[in-house]
Amino acid sequence: MLIQPIDYFLVAWFVLAALSALYVGVDQFRNNPEPGVMKWGFILVTLYLGPIGLLLYVLVDKEPHPGEHEEFTKPLWKQGVGSTIHCVAGDATGIIAAAAITAALGLPMWLDLIVEYLAGFAFGLLIFQSLFMKSLMGGTYLQNVRSTFLPEFISMNFMMAGMAPVMTLLMMGPDMRAMEPTELVFWGVMSVGVAAGFALAYPANVWLVYKGLKHGLMTRRPSAPAESHQNHEGGMKGMGGMGLPGAQQPTRPQLVAVALVGMIALVAGISAPSTTVNMSLSARDVGGSIMPPGMIMTRDTPGAAMRDMAAVDPRDVTATAAGNARGDQALQPRMVDGVKVFDLTASIVRWQILPGVWVDAYAYNGQVPGPRLDFVQGDRVRINVTNRLPESTTVHWHGLDVPNDMDGPAQITQHPIEPGKTFTYEYTVKQAGTFFYHSHDHADRQEALGLYGALIIAPKRPADAIPADMDYTIQLGEWLNRNGLTWPAMPMEGGLANYFTINGKAYPSTETIRMKVGQVLKVRFIGTNSVDIHPMHIHGGPFEVVARDGETLALSARFAADTINVAPGQRYDVLWTARAPGRWLIHCHINHHTTNNNVEQDGAGGLTMIIDVSS
């Protein structure tokens, strides 16, 4: 599934790469007078580099007119390209194959790079060089291995020095799908890495060709049993020829210096990324995470933090809610032997918070907030929780006095509910007031993504209820939604919210409360959010605070206010009297929280709703 703009670009790129490789392959085998190993070299490199590989082929190797290949490919810069093509075709193939295998095995990045280097060097030396070139080089296989070891070592070191940092930094960058061979981004990173390796290895290959230590482009005519390029007739055996005209045999200090620089470049290319990324992590540790824009990842950022901060994978969405769907809908229980039974299912849904703005939300029963559970003090309740998330979860009954094994903290009072499993919570309701339920497994992620809902518990004696003409529950939410992806809002770099919701909707999509002058409204503020304190303010006169955290305040303890700070986890019940007709606001008094992606709509946004009072 294509979930990011880069995915669409990569589809187009690889289509072009396939077409380019097809052209190169057909033209090579039909028209170009070149040994088979070089034909396959250009095909492989064109698969890796796409149109760039095609460009190299046309510029340096494709015979312009019959009989002109020898003269056309004669310049040293073209011979260097041919040598680098041969190097990349062999070495990069081994590196890419090893990268895919090590990712599947879950090896850490530092070990991954070592295995890739060994695989690339072995494939380039033992297969693409000594084996595939045996008929051209002459001598035994072992002789060819020995004679080509040093040139291959130098060339491979420079190529891996270019590939390693590019692969590492892109794989462990914001889009870590790049570590998964099943993702297009992985192959895109391989292509960029090959290009970097080619660029760094090219100067060394020019020198190696010039000195006769490596071959460049070759010509094989149908009538000739062996290649006939004048630059390499005398130097093919063991790759120890005299090189190009005017070149002197390399001295031992020259060879040592070039090899040493290549080794330094290799060590730097492999080790330098460890100063900025955590090289101990594997593809399994990060799980294809896509990090939020602006998140700072360092060499000690754990994989678990990346998974918690990661965007919701749109491929995990199981349903799309209707645009006008509302959360906090009362869930009707069924009675079983005097027990009220409720069924909750956690899953991922597409949820509209504003027209045109959708989030990938973790939801109970397909709604955000989850369904309202109405209890009566003294009820025996049973809640069956089924997990349809791609990760484990639990449910905590915030503020309720329940048996310890029913409390919900994962790994502390219960084993997490694994995907596809169901856990049953059962207890007797002892309290009355305003409470809520939420996930307590990876809570910083799951609650921020929508796994919460209201618990409204009526007192056993109706006379103990605080009377009001209307009763409305406000559950606060915060969202981070950018580039078509949804991340859990968190109070850390890159994690700050840019959308804010009341009962799963942002103004102007929030509900309007309709009242008449003289009526009393009970508002239950619930801090189901997980990031900020929200100073909730009501226009049109003060309200009376009558309950806090589910506890009804004594008459002497109640107080008047027009703003109340609702922190994560807190609840306040307030009574507001409609004094005059008009459209009166309820909103957060942090002005940024009344915008949508930093923009006001119809005069406000986010944590805003209207009380419409008529006379």
Side-chain angles (χ1 to χ4, degrees):
M1 180 179 176
L2 307 179
I3 62 175
Q4 285 285 274
I6 186 65
D7 298 332
Y8 296 92
F9 170 80
L10 289 173
V11 168
W13 176 259
F14 287 124
V15 168
L16 291 175
L19 294 175
S20 299
L22 179 63
Y23 172 83
V24 170
V26 170
D27 192 71
Q28 279 276 27
F29 282 97
R30 282 187 177 179
N31 306 316
N32 220 42
E34 196 163 37
V37 66
M38 288 304 297
K39 294 178 187 290
W40 283 108
F42 270 99
I43 293 170
L44 286 171
V45 170
T46 305
L47 277 175
Y48 303 150
L49 297 183
I52 298 174
L54 173 61
L55 177 66
L56 291 173
Y57 171 65
V58 172
L59 290 181
V60 307
D61 191 47
K62 176 178 169 57
E63 189 174 46
H65 300 97
E68 295 183 0
H69 190 261
E70 291 88 343
E71 193 65 27
F72 179 69
T73 60
K74 195 172 183 178
L76 177 59
W77 74 271
K78 294 184 180 181
Q79 293 295 321
V81 170
S83 177
T84 312
I85 288 287
H86 189 265
C87 163
V88 169
D91 299 348
T93 299
I95 290 171
I96 293 171
I101 293 170
T102 54
L105 294 176
L107 299 184
M109 181 60 73
W110 68 268
L111 183 56
D112 182 359
L113 291 177
I114 294 174
V115 173
E116 288 176 21
Y117 174 81
L118 295 176
F121 183 62
F123 190 83
L125 174 66
L126 303 178
I127 306 298
F128 222 79
Q129 185 67 266
S130 300
L131 181 61
F132 291 173
M133 292 288 295
K134 185 175 182 298
S135 62
L136 297 174
M137 293 169 61
T140 67
Y141 176 73
L142 290 179
Q143 287 174 335
N144 292 335
V145 171
R146 286 195 296 269
S147 64
T148 59
F149 179 88
L150 181 59
E152 174 66 20
F153 179 70
I154 292 173
S155 183
M156 171 66 187
N157 285 351
F158 278 107
M159 195 191 72
M160 189 65 178
M163 286 190 71
V166 170
M167 291 189 301
T168 303
L169 295 175
L170 290 181
M171 282 182 163
M172 304 195 72
D175 191 345
M176 284 182 286
R177 294 179 302 155
M179 297 183 73
E180 299 286 348
T182 56
E183 299 281 357
L184 277 178
V185 182
F186 174 89
W187 301 102
V189 167
M190 291 297 111
S191 292
V192 176
V194 169
F198 189 103
L200 197 60
Y202 174 71
N205 276 271
V206 170
W207 183 81
L208 290 169
V209 170
Y210 178 68
K211 291 296 186 179
L213 296 175
K214 287 194 74 177
H215 69 83
L217 297 167
M218 296 172 282
T219 302
R220 170 179 278 179
R221 298 295 178 184
S223 60
E227 64 84 29
S228 61
H229 198 296
Q230 61 179 358
N231 293 337
H232 305 289
E233 285 180 347
M236 185 55 63
K237 286 190 176 182
M239 313 307 291
M242 296 302 295
L244 297 189
Q248 297 180 343
Q249 283 284 300
T251 64
R252 180 167 294 181
Q254 289 176 336
L255 286 173
V256 170
V258 173
L260 181 61
V261 171
M263 292 177 64
I264 293 172
L266 173 66
V267 172
I270 290 179
S271 60
S274 65
T275 63
T276 58
V277 300
N278 190 340
M279 299 286 285
S280 68
L281 299 178
S282 70
R284 293 182 184 176
D285 292 325
V286 300
S289 301
I290 302 179
M291 296 295 99
M295 178 180 174
I296 297 175
M297 295 184 293
T298 63
R299 57 191 174 90
D300 57 359
T301 301
M306 297 177 184
R307 293 195 303 273
D308 267 4
M309 286 287 292
V312 179
D313 191 332
R315 292 169 290 195
D316 291 330
V317 172
T318 58
T320 298
N324 60 355
R326 294 285 173 179
D328 191 43
Q329 301 302 297
L331 180 61
Q332 297 302 318
R334 63 183 189 277
M335 297 300 298
V336 178
D337 297 328
V339 177
K340 287 183 178 178
V341 180
F342 300 83
D343 295 308
L344 292 177
T345 299
S347 64
I348 300 179
V349 303
R350 289 272 289 167
W351 182 262
Q352 182 175 269
I353 60 175
L354 278 169
V357 180
W358 296 77
V359 295
D360 297 326
Y362 284 28
Y364 291 117
N365 293 15
Q367 58 182 276
V368 181
R372 184 171 68 252
L373 304 185
D374 291 313
F375 299 161
V376 176
Q377 189 178 22
D379 280 347
R380 184 71 178 177
V381 298
R382 181 182 303 145
I383 304 99
N384 302 312
V385 179
T386 300
N387 182 14
R388 302 294 181 197
L389 301 172
E391 62 206 59
S392 64
T393 191
T394 64
V395 178
H396 170 61
W397 316 96
H398 189 96
L400 289 191
D401 180 6
V402 299
N404 186 248
D405 59 354
M406 295 289 105
D407 195 40
Q411 306 292 355
I412 298 173
T413 64
Q414 72 170 92
H415 293 295
I417 310 169
E418 298 297 334
K421 301 298 183 181
T422 298
F423 185 86
T424 298
Y425 297 90
E426 186 167 340
Y427 50 83
T428 298
V429 179
K430 301 177 182 178
Q431 298 144 280
T434 303
F435 300 87
F436 72 105
Y437 62 96
H438 63 85
S439 169
H440 218 294
D441 184 14
H442 304 98
D444 59 339
R445 174 177 180 81
Q446 295 184 6
E447 187 176 350
L449 289 170
L451 281 189
Y452 54 82
L455 290 172
I456 306 301
I457 307 175
K460 189 172 185 178
R461 294 194 321 146
D464 293 336
I466 299 173
D469 297 303
M470 302 183 69
D471 194 318
Y472 193 84
T473 299
I474 287 180
Q475 298 175 70
L476 306 174
E478 299 146 343
W479 301 87
L480 175 56
N481 185 262
R482 298 186 189 278
N483 300 328
L485 296 176
T486 304
W487 288 269
M490 296 185 184
M492 61 183 296
E493 63 277 353
L496 296 179
N498 63 333
Y499 289 96
F500 305 87
T501 57
I502 290 175
N503 296 345
K505 301 292 182 181
Y507 181 86
S509 290
T510 51
E511 290 184 308
T512 295
I513 301 173
R514 303 191 185 278
M515 301 177 62
K516 292 186 178 298
V517 172
Q519 287 187 317
V520 176
L521 170 68
K522 179 190 289 184
V523 179
R524 302 174 187 259
F525 291 112
I526 304 180
T528 43
N529 56 295
S530 60
V531 176
D532 292 301
I533 295 175
H534 294 294
M536 298 304 296
H537 171 57
I538 303 181
H539 291 204
F543 50 75
E544 182 183 18
V545 180
V546 296
R548 181 179 59 201
D549 292 343
E551 295 291 331
T552 299
L553 298 178
L555 291 174
S556 60
R558 298 178 186 182
F559 61 94
D562 58 37
T563 305
I564 194 77
N565 287 333
V566 184
Q570 284 191 313
R571 289 91 63 213
Y572 285 95
D573 293 1
V574 306
L575 298 179
W576 180 84
T577 301
R579 295 169 174 82
R583 290 163 57 85
W584 307 102
L585 293 184
I586 303 178
H587 67 94
C588 176
H589 221 283
I590 295 177
N591 294 330
H592 172 60
H593 298 173
T594 58
T595 63
N596 300 323
N597 201 19
N598 304 322
V599 176
E600 289 188 353
Q601 292 181 238
D602 296 342
L607 300 181
T608 304
M609 61 183 300
I610 292 174
I611 307 172
D612 191 346
V613 179
S614 59
S615 55

